[in-house]
Amino acid sequence: MIFTIAHKELKSMFSSPLAWVVLAFVQGVIAYVFIGSLNGFLIAQAQLARTPNAAGLTEIAIVPMFGVGQMLLLMSIPLLTMRLISEEKRNQTMAFLISAPISMTQIIVGKFLAMATFLFLILLLIACMALSVTAGGTIDSGLLIANLIGLFLLGISFAAIGIYISCLTTHPVVAAILSLAVFLGLWIINLASSNPESWLNVVSLLKRFEGFMNGFVGIADVAYFLVITCFFLVLSIRRLDSERLRA
Amino acid sequence: MTSSQALTLSASGLTRKYGNNIAAKNVSIDLYKGQIVGLLGPNGAGKSTTMKMITGNLAPSEGGVQICGIDLIEKPLDAKAKIGYLPEIPPVYKELRVDEYLTLAARLHRVASKKVSEAVNKAEERVGVTHMRRRLIGSLSKGYQQRVGIAQAIIHEPEVIILDEPTVGLDPNQILEIRDLIRQLGNEHSVILSTHILQEVEAICDRVQILHHGSVVFNDAISGLRQFRAGKTIQAGFRTPPDLVELQTALPDTVCSIVRNGVFRIQASSSEDPTSTIVRKSVECSWNLYELSGAQASVEEVFAELTKQSS
């Protein structure tokens, strides 16, 4: 049942131009950054070869893609999650799902799974681009994988928050703007404090993601993203359940 | 309609409050296999609210629902598997094709994966959308969207079919077709449908429950409703008509009104049949009676009568 919902969601996503536009936009911007940094690497190559412990191909050409990738996800995920629940409510199709023999959990998890699949697709395209340099050089695959994991975890946290916000309203655009505001808030929250020990750094997504970009997959960071994801999925389920009671 | 037939749905004492506003009050419905029950009522009477509670879309404030003996609150998924529901607005995804949408509906309603395409074909055939199967639902007319909505409600051959105003937005031919379809469905399944059209209930239902301000004010077999409507109102035409005041004084136990020039609507306010009095008075005062028919009470009159009783 979960897969039936996910399948339906992906179908709806790709039958509108939005998903294609987002994919093209993300891919285009990342490709531009990739070519720019690859070019920079080629120019500085001779100099780097003489420097001991210099940054390698992966650090210079590939990691910047993920730096931009996180911002692109921050901007594009609200556009994809905005309609997931709010549009069902708006078009009265929620009754179709609720009167079918499936639980709220299956509905939410199915929709989340569709988003995760979409993210996986974006990451696959980025990974392909990164792997293309293996044609003429070697890459630090550990660093690449850490970055991929980091971006995926970041993406699913965004997706879960976005789905929850979509539950709160019947207007997709309101959901998109609200999600964007929340993501930006979580993103730059650490800027509010100069103290590195402050709790603001603990909840800041930016700080959490830095570790992955340096090739460090910390248990605490992974757990943080997973907890955020689960927390908002549970909130979404509770929210839909309570609507049946309150309406 | 004998009691030996299986009880497929039993809703008892359903009450739903929105704050201080009571949308449905102590509504009970019993539905047997092979039966069609009509929920009749003016707009805002609580028909949709009741249906939402029966289908698990809305939790009742009080009362419970059992589908084929399965409690909707304790085992919602098993109970919902036996229901097909068409809400007021057909719950279709405009970006999907008819085929895709019905396949989705079949899967969600636990149709075995081998039988999905067979079920889709059958449902399309029954509601007459086979020639539209490759079209996007968003490009279909309201009538066809409504049919697709009905198709998703019957695709898994549910025991109980719940249709909220199934003929709204259809043209007269389509209305007749859909009524035929509902009658057919009523043979094998049991159906609850809501409407505000009295004729529709009389045309297809076996039993009728009339809701007003959230409460059931009438609950009887369809013959009971006919009896209730008949014999109360008479339409009389005179060649040399009296004026309304004259007629009213001649017939003290009635309420008279003018339908058109020379034709009056005479409603008996007591149980006495005014027909013979009308004929006698007509001869006495030479009004030249030429038409006398037992008009059936209109839906408004039935509602007015029932709510007068209930209050």
mmCIF file with all atom_site columns, all heavy atoms in Angstrom, chain B residues 36-40 198 201 205-210 218-222 225:
data_model
loop_
_atom_site.group_PDB
_atom_site.id
_atom_site.type_symbol
_atom_site.label_atom_id
_atom_site.label_alt_id
_atom_site.label_comp_id
_atom_site.label_asym_id
_atom_site.label_entity_id
_atom_site.label_seq_id
_atom_site.pdbx_PDB_ins_code
_atom_site.Cartn_x
_atom_site.Cartn_y
_atom_site.Cartn_z
_atom_site.occupancy
_atom_site.B_iso_or_equiv
_atom_site.pdbx_formal_charge
_atom_site.auth_seq_id
_atom_site.auth_comp_id
_atom_site.auth_asym_id
_atom_site.auth_atom_id
_atom_site.pdbx_PDB_model_num
ATOM 1   N N   . ILE B 1 36  ? -31.651 -0.522 -0.883 1.00 0.00 ? 36  ILE B N   1
ATOM 2   C CA  . ILE B 1 36  ? -31.188 0.831  -1.171 1.00 0.00 ? 36  ILE B CA  1
ATOM 3   C C   . ILE B 1 36  ? -31.917 1.776  -0.230 1.00 0.00 ? 36  ILE B C   1
ATOM 4   O O   . ILE B 1 36  ? -33.140 1.830  -0.214 1.00 0.00 ? 36  ILE B O   1
ATOM 5   C CB  . ILE B 1 36  ? -31.489 1.225  -2.629 1.00 0.00 ? 36  ILE B CB  1
ATOM 6   C CG1 . ILE B 1 36  ? -30.872 0.216  -3.602 1.00 0.00 ? 36  ILE B CG1 1
ATOM 7   C CG2 . ILE B 1 36  ? -30.965 2.624  -2.912 1.00 0.00 ? 36  ILE B CG2 1
ATOM 8   C CD1 . ILE B 1 36  ? -31.180 0.503  -5.052 1.00 0.00 ? 36  ILE B CD1 1
ATOM 9   N N   . VAL B 1 37  ? -31.131 2.472  0.564  1.00 0.00 ? 37  VAL B N   1
ATOM 10  C CA  . VAL B 1 37  ? -31.725 3.430  1.499  1.00 0.00 ? 37  VAL B CA  1
ATOM 11  C C   . VAL B 1 37  ? -31.401 4.832  1.020  1.00 0.00 ? 37  VAL B C   1
ATOM 12  O O   . VAL B 1 37  ? -30.264 5.125  0.647  1.00 0.00 ? 37  VAL B O   1
ATOM 13  C CB  . VAL B 1 37  ? -31.186 3.216  2.925  1.00 0.00 ? 37  VAL B CB  1
ATOM 14  C CG1 . VAL B 1 37  ? -31.582 4.370  3.834  1.00 0.00 ? 37  VAL B CG1 1
ATOM 15  C CG2 . VAL B 1 37  ? -31.714 1.916  3.493  1.00 0.00 ? 37  VAL B CG2 1
ATOM 16  N N   . GLY B 1 38  ? -32.401 5.689  1.017  1.00 0.00 ? 38  GLY B N   1
ATOM 17  C CA  . GLY B 1 38  ? -32.175 7.070  0.621  1.00 0.00 ? 38  GLY B CA  1
ATOM 18  C C   . GLY B 1 38  ? -32.133 7.976  1.828  1.00 0.00 ? 38  GLY B C   1
ATOM 19  O O   . GLY B 1 38  ? -32.967 7.862  2.722  1.00 0.00 ? 38  GLY B O   1
ATOM 20  N N   . LEU B 1 39  ? -31.127 8.832  1.868  1.00 0.00 ? 39  LEU B N   1
ATOM 21  C CA  . LEU B 1 39  ? -31.100 9.881  2.892  1.00 0.00 ? 39  LEU B CA  1
ATOM 22  C C   . LEU B 1 39  ? -31.578 11.145 2.215  1.00 0.00 ? 39  LEU B C   1
ATOM 23  O O   . LEU B 1 39  ? -30.942 11.650 1.302  1.00 0.00 ? 39  LEU B O   1
ATOM 24  C CB  . LEU B 1 39  ? -29.681 10.109 3.420  1.00 0.00 ? 39  LEU B CB  1
ATOM 25  C CG  . LEU B 1 39  ? -29.074 9.080  4.351  1.00 0.00 ? 39  LEU B CG  1
ATOM 26  C CD1 . LEU B 1 39  ? -27.728 9.588  4.827  1.00 0.00 ? 39  LEU B CD1 1
ATOM 27  C CD2 . LEU B 1 39  ? -29.980 8.816  5.520  1.00 0.00 ? 39  LEU B CD2 1
ATOM 28  N N   . LEU B 1 40  ? -32.713 11.637 2.661  1.00 0.00 ? 40  LEU B N   1
ATOM 29  C CA  . LEU B 1 40  ? -33.319 12.776 1.998  1.00 0.00 ? 40  LEU B CA  1
ATOM 30  C C   . LEU B 1 40  ? -33.292 13.938 2.971  1.00 0.00 ? 40  LEU B C   1
ATOM 31  O O   . LEU B 1 40  ? -33.485 13.760 4.169  1.00 0.00 ? 40  LEU B O   1
ATOM 32  C CB  . LEU B 1 40  ? -34.757 12.393 1.636  1.00 0.00 ? 40  LEU B CB  1
ATOM 33  C CG  . LEU B 1 40  ? -35.590 13.349 0.826  1.00 0.00 ? 40  LEU B CG  1
ATOM 34  C CD1 . LEU B 1 40  ? -34.994 13.519 -0.550 1.00 0.00 ? 40  LEU B CD1 1
ATOM 35  C CD2 . LEU B 1 40  ? -37.012 12.811 0.700  1.00 0.00 ? 40  LEU B CD2 1
ATOM 36  N N   . LEU B 1 198 ? -36.890 14.413 -4.043 1.00 0.00 ? 198 LEU B N   1
ATOM 37  C CA  . LEU B 1 198 ? -37.837 13.417 -3.575 1.00 0.00 ? 198 LEU B CA  1
ATOM 38  C C   . LEU B 1 198 ? -38.110 12.347 -4.623 1.00 0.00 ? 198 LEU B C   1
ATOM 39  O O   . LEU B 1 198 ? -38.154 11.156 -4.327 1.00 0.00 ? 198 LEU B O   1
ATOM 40  C CB  . LEU B 1 198 ? -39.137 14.137 -3.206 1.00 0.00 ? 198 LEU B CB  1
ATOM 41  C CG  . LEU B 1 198 ? -40.155 13.360 -2.414 1.00 0.00 ? 198 LEU B CG  1
ATOM 42  C CD1 . LEU B 1 198 ? -39.601 13.014 -1.052 1.00 0.00 ? 198 LEU B CD1 1
ATOM 43  C CD2 . LEU B 1 198 ? -41.407 14.189 -2.250 1.00 0.00 ? 198 LEU B CD2 1
ATOM 44  N N   . VAL B 1 201 ? -35.568 9.563  -4.747 1.00 0.00 ? 201 VAL B N   1
ATOM 45  C CA  . VAL B 1 201 ? -35.734 8.566  -3.700 1.00 0.00 ? 201 VAL B CA  1
ATOM 46  C C   . VAL B 1 201 ? -36.860 7.615  -4.060 1.00 0.00 ? 201 VAL B C   1
ATOM 47  O O   . VAL B 1 201 ? -36.724 6.395  -3.952 1.00 0.00 ? 201 VAL B O   1
ATOM 48  C CB  . VAL B 1 201 ? -36.023 9.266  -2.357 1.00 0.00 ? 201 VAL B CB  1
ATOM 49  C CG1 . VAL B 1 201 ? -36.469 8.271  -1.321 1.00 0.00 ? 201 VAL B CG1 1
ATOM 50  C CG2 . VAL B 1 201 ? -34.789 10.002 -1.881 1.00 0.00 ? 201 VAL B CG2 1
ATOM 51  N N   . CYS B 1 205 ? -35.213 4.007  -4.301 1.00 0.00 ? 205 CYS B N   1
ATOM 52  C CA  . CYS B 1 205 ? -34.921 3.489  -2.961 1.00 0.00 ? 205 CYS B CA  1
ATOM 53  C C   . CYS B 1 205 ? -35.998 2.529  -2.456 1.00 0.00 ? 205 CYS B C   1
ATOM 54  O O   . CYS B 1 205 ? -37.146 2.584  -2.863 1.00 0.00 ? 205 CYS B O   1
ATOM 55  C CB  . CYS B 1 205 ? -34.771 4.632  -1.971 1.00 0.00 ? 205 CYS B CB  1
ATOM 56  S SG  . CYS B 1 205 ? -33.412 5.705  -2.393 1.00 0.00 ? 205 CYS B SG  1
ATOM 57  N N   . ASP B 1 206 ? -35.565 1.626  -1.555 1.00 0.00 ? 206 ASP B N   1
ATOM 58  C CA  . ASP B 1 206 ? -36.516 0.751  -0.887 1.00 0.00 ? 206 ASP B CA  1
ATOM 59  C C   . ASP B 1 206 ? -36.997 1.387  0.405  1.00 0.00 ? 206 ASP B C   1
ATOM 60  O O   . ASP B 1 206 ? -38.097 1.162  0.849  1.00 0.00 ? 206 ASP B O   1
ATOM 61  C CB  . ASP B 1 206 ? -35.848 -0.586 -0.527 1.00 0.00 ? 206 ASP B CB  1
ATOM 62  C CG  . ASP B 1 206 ? -35.261 -1.248 -1.742 1.00 0.00 ? 206 ASP B CG  1
ATOM 63  O OD1 . ASP B 1 206 ? -35.988 -1.372 -2.727 1.00 0.00 ? 206 ASP B OD1 1
ATOM 64  O OD2 . ASP B 1 206 ? -34.075 -1.613 -1.708 1.00 0.00 ? 206 ASP B OD2 1
ATOM 65  N N   . ARG B 1 207 ? -36.078 2.149  0.997  1.00 0.00 ? 207 ARG B N   1
ATOM 66  C CA  . ARG B 1 207 ? -36.433 2.785  2.260  1.00 0.00 ? 207 ARG B CA  1
ATOM 67  C C   . ARG B 1 207 ? -35.907 4.207  2.265  1.00 0.00 ? 207 ARG B C   1
ATOM 68  O O   . ARG B 1 207 ? -34.970 4.545  1.558  1.00 0.00 ? 207 ARG B O   1
ATOM 69  C CB  . ARG B 1 207 ? -35.841 2.004  3.427  1.00 0.00 ? 207 ARG B CB  1
ATOM 70  C CG  . ARG B 1 207 ? -36.927 1.363  4.293  1.00 0.00 ? 207 ARG B CG  1
ATOM 71  C CD  . ARG B 1 207 ? -36.355 0.734  5.539  1.00 0.00 ? 207 ARG B CD  1
ATOM 72  N NE  . ARG B 1 207 ? -35.452 1.606  6.216  1.00 0.00 ? 207 ARG B NE  1
ATOM 73  C CZ  . ARG B 1 207 ? -34.290 1.199  6.717  1.00 0.00 ? 207 ARG B CZ  1
ATOM 74  N NH1 . ARG B 1 207 ? -33.897 -0.034 6.572  1.00 0.00 ? 207 ARG B NH1 1
ATOM 75  N NH2 . ARG B 1 207 ? -33.514 2.047  7.337  1.00 0.00 ? 207 ARG B NH2 1
ATOM 76  N N   . VAL B 1 208 ? -36.519 5.037  3.070  1.00 0.00 ? 208 VAL B N   1
ATOM 77  C CA  . VAL B 1 208 ? -36.091 6.422  3.083  1.00 0.00 ? 208 VAL B CA  1
ATOM 78  C C   . VAL B 1 208 ? -35.990 6.922  4.514  1.00 0.00 ? 208 VAL B C   1
ATOM 79  O O   . VAL B 1 208 ? -36.777 6.546  5.380  1.00 0.00 ? 208 VAL B O   1
ATOM 80  C CB  . VAL B 1 208 ? -37.062 7.295  2.251  1.00 0.00 ? 208 VAL B CB  1
ATOM 81  C CG1 . VAL B 1 208 ? -38.480 7.193  2.775  1.00 0.00 ? 208 VAL B CG1 1
ATOM 82  C CG2 . VAL B 1 208 ? -36.622 8.749  2.227  1.00 0.00 ? 208 VAL B CG2 1
ATOM 83  N N   . GLN B 1 209 ? -34.945 7.701  4.742  1.00 0.00 ? 209 GLN B N   1
ATOM 84  C CA  . GLN B 1 209 ? -34.826 8.397  6.021  1.00 0.00 ? 209 GLN B CA  1
ATOM 85  C C   . GLN B 1 209 ? -34.710 9.869  5.692  1.00 0.00 ? 209 GLN B C   1
ATOM 86  O O   . GLN B 1 209 ? -33.873 10.257 4.887  1.00 0.00 ? 209 GLN B O   1
ATOM 87  C CB  . GLN B 1 209 ? -33.573 7.947  6.768  1.00 0.00 ? 209 GLN B CB  1
ATOM 88  C CG  . GLN B 1 209 ? -33.560 6.473  7.073  1.00 0.00 ? 209 GLN B CG  1
ATOM 89  C CD  . GLN B 1 209 ? -32.687 6.135  8.259  1.00 0.00 ? 209 GLN B CD  1
ATOM 90  O OE1 . GLN B 1 209 ? -31.949 6.958  8.769  1.00 0.00 ? 209 GLN B OE1 1
ATOM 91  N NE2 . GLN B 1 209 ? -32.786 4.903  8.711  1.00 0.00 ? 209 GLN B NE2 1
ATOM 92  N N   . ILE B 1 210 ? -35.558 10.651 6.308  1.00 0.00 ? 210 ILE B N   1
ATOM 93  C CA  . ILE B 1 210 ? -35.508 12.079 6.039  1.00 0.00 ? 210 ILE B CA  1
ATOM 94  C C   . ILE B 1 210 ? -34.823 12.767 7.211  1.00 0.00 ? 210 ILE B C   1
ATOM 95  O O   . ILE B 1 210 ? -35.161 12.542 8.375  1.00 0.00 ? 210 ILE B O   1
ATOM 96  C CB  . ILE B 1 210 ? -36.915 12.641 5.800  1.00 0.00 ? 210 ILE B CB  1
ATOM 97  C CG1 . ILE B 1 210 ? -37.511 11.970 4.561  1.00 0.00 ? 210 ILE B CG1 1
ATOM 98  C CG2 . ILE B 1 210 ? -36.862 14.155 5.612  1.00 0.00 ? 210 ILE B CG2 1
ATOM 99  C CD1 . ILE B 1 210 ? -38.897 12.428 4.201  1.00 0.00 ? 210 ILE B CD1 1
ATOM 100 N N   . PHE B 1 218 ? -38.116 11.144 9.689  1.00 0.00 ? 218 PHE B N   1
ATOM 101 C CA  . PHE B 1 218 ? -38.981 10.181 9.014  1.00 0.00 ? 218 PHE B CA  1
ATOM 102 C C   . PHE B 1 218 ? -38.125 8.988  8.651  1.00 0.00 ? 218 PHE B C   1
ATOM 103 O O   . PHE B 1 218 ? -37.022 9.137  8.158  1.00 0.00 ? 218 PHE B O   1
ATOM 104 C CB  . PHE B 1 218 ? -39.566 10.830 7.743  1.00 0.00 ? 218 PHE B CB  1
ATOM 105 C CG  . PHE B 1 218 ? -40.540 9.958  7.011  1.00 0.00 ? 218 PHE B CG  1
ATOM 106 C CD1 . PHE B 1 218 ? -41.893 10.014 7.306  1.00 0.00 ? 218 PHE B CD1 1
ATOM 107 C CD2 . PHE B 1 218 ? -40.114 9.093  6.012  1.00 0.00 ? 218 PHE B CD2 1
ATOM 108 C CE1 . PHE B 1 218 ? -42.803 9.217  6.620  1.00 0.00 ? 218 PHE B CE1 1
ATOM 109 C CE2 . PHE B 1 218 ? -41.018 8.293  5.331  1.00 0.00 ? 218 PHE B CE2 1
ATOM 110 C CZ  . PHE B 1 218 ? -42.364 8.361  5.644  1.00 0.00 ? 218 PHE B CZ  1
ATOM 111 N N   . ASN B 1 219 ? -38.627 7.789  8.924  1.00 0.00 ? 219 ASN B N   1
ATOM 112 C CA  . ASN B 1 219 ? -37.861 6.583  8.623  1.00 0.00 ? 219 ASN B CA  1
ATOM 113 C C   . ASN B 1 219 ? -38.842 5.479  8.316  1.00 0.00 ? 219 ASN B C   1
ATOM 114 O O   . ASN B 1 219 ? -39.491 4.946  9.201  1.00 0.00 ? 219 ASN B O   1
ATOM 115 C CB  . ASN B 1 219 ? -36.989 6.227  9.838  1.00 0.00 ? 219 ASN B CB  1
ATOM 116 C CG  . ASN B 1 219 ? -36.170 4.979  9.588  1.00 0.00 ? 219 ASN B CG  1
ATOM 117 O OD1 . ASN B 1 219 ? -36.155 4.441  8.485  1.00 0.00 ? 219 ASN B OD1 1
ATOM 118 N ND2 . ASN B 1 219 ? -35.482 4.515  10.610 1.00 0.00 ? 219 ASN B ND2 1
ATOM 119 N N   . ASP B 1 220 ? -39.024 5.179  7.045  1.00 0.00 ? 220 ASP B N   1
ATOM 120 C CA  . ASP B 1 220 ? -40.046 4.206  6.668  1.00 0.00 ? 220 ASP B CA  1
ATOM 121 C C   . ASP B 1 220 ? -39.710 3.631  5.301  1.00 0.00 ? 220 ASP B C   1
ATOM 122 O O   . ASP B 1 220 ? -38.840 4.133  4.591  1.00 0.00 ? 220 ASP B O   1
ATOM 123 C CB  . ASP B 1 220 ? -41.420 4.900  6.615  1.00 0.00 ? 220 ASP B CB  1
ATOM 124 C CG  . ASP B 1 220 ? -42.569 3.905  6.793  1.00 0.00 ? 220 ASP B CG  1
ATOM 125 O OD1 . ASP B 1 220 ? -42.312 2.697  6.665  1.00 0.00 ? 220 ASP B OD1 1
ATOM 126 O OD2 . ASP B 1 220 ? -43.680 4.357  7.061  1.00 0.00 ? 220 ASP B OD2 1
ATOM 127 N N   . ALA B 1 221 ? -40.443 2.596  4.929  1.00 0.00 ? 221 ALA B N   1
ATOM 128 C CA  . ALA B 1 221 ? -40.313 2.057  3.579  1.00 0.00 ? 221 ALA B CA  1
ATOM 129 C C   . ALA B 1 221 ? -40.864 3.091  2.605  1.00 0.00 ? 221 ALA B C   1
ATOM 130 O O   . ALA B 1 221 ? -41.583 4.002  3.002  1.00 0.00 ? 221 ALA B O   1
ATOM 131 C CB  . ALA B 1 221 ? -41.087 0.750  3.452  1.00 0.00 ? 221 ALA B CB  1
ATOM 132 N N   . ILE B 1 222 ? -40.524 2.913  1.333  1.00 0.00 ? 222 ILE B N   1
ATOM 133 C CA  . ILE B 1 222 ? -40.883 3.937  0.354  1.00 0.00 ? 222 ILE B CA  1
ATOM 134 C C   . ILE B 1 222 ? -42.404 4.036  0.209  1.00 0.00 ? 222 ILE B C   1
ATOM 135 O O   . ILE B 1 222 ? -42.949 5.109  -0.042 1.00 0.00 ? 222 ILE B O   1
ATOM 136 C CB  . ILE B 1 222 ? -40.177 3.637  -0.993 1.00 0.00 ? 222 ILE B CB  1
ATOM 137 C CG1 . ILE B 1 222 ? -39.945 4.934  -1.739 1.00 0.00 ? 222 ILE B CG1 1
ATOM 138 C CG2 . ILE B 1 222 ? -40.929 2.656  -1.845 1.00 0.00 ? 222 ILE B CG2 1
ATOM 139 C CD1 . ILE B 1 222 ? -38.840 5.756  -1.189 1.00 0.00 ? 222 ILE B CD1 1
ATOM 140 N N   . LEU B 1 225 ? -43.741 6.521  2.539  1.00 0.00 ? 225 LEU B N   1
ATOM 141 C CA  . LEU B 1 225 ? -43.550 7.910  2.097  1.00 0.00 ? 225 LEU B CA  1
ATOM 142 C C   . LEU B 1 225 ? -44.635 8.294  1.092  1.00 0.00 ? 225 LEU B C   1
ATOM 143 O O   . LEU B 1 225 ? -45.181 9.393  1.141  1.00 0.00 ? 225 LEU B O   1
ATOM 144 C CB  . LEU B 1 225 ? -42.171 8.067  1.463  1.00 0.00 ? 225 LEU B CB  1
ATOM 145 C CG  . LEU B 1 225 ? -41.841 9.456  0.917  1.00 0.00 ? 225 LEU B CG  1
ATOM 146 C CD1 . LEU B 1 225 ? -41.714 10.456 2.046  1.00 0.00 ? 225 LEU B CD1 1
ATOM 147 C CD2 . LEU B 1 225 ? -40.576 9.452  0.089  1.00 0.00 ? 225 LEU B CD2 1
#
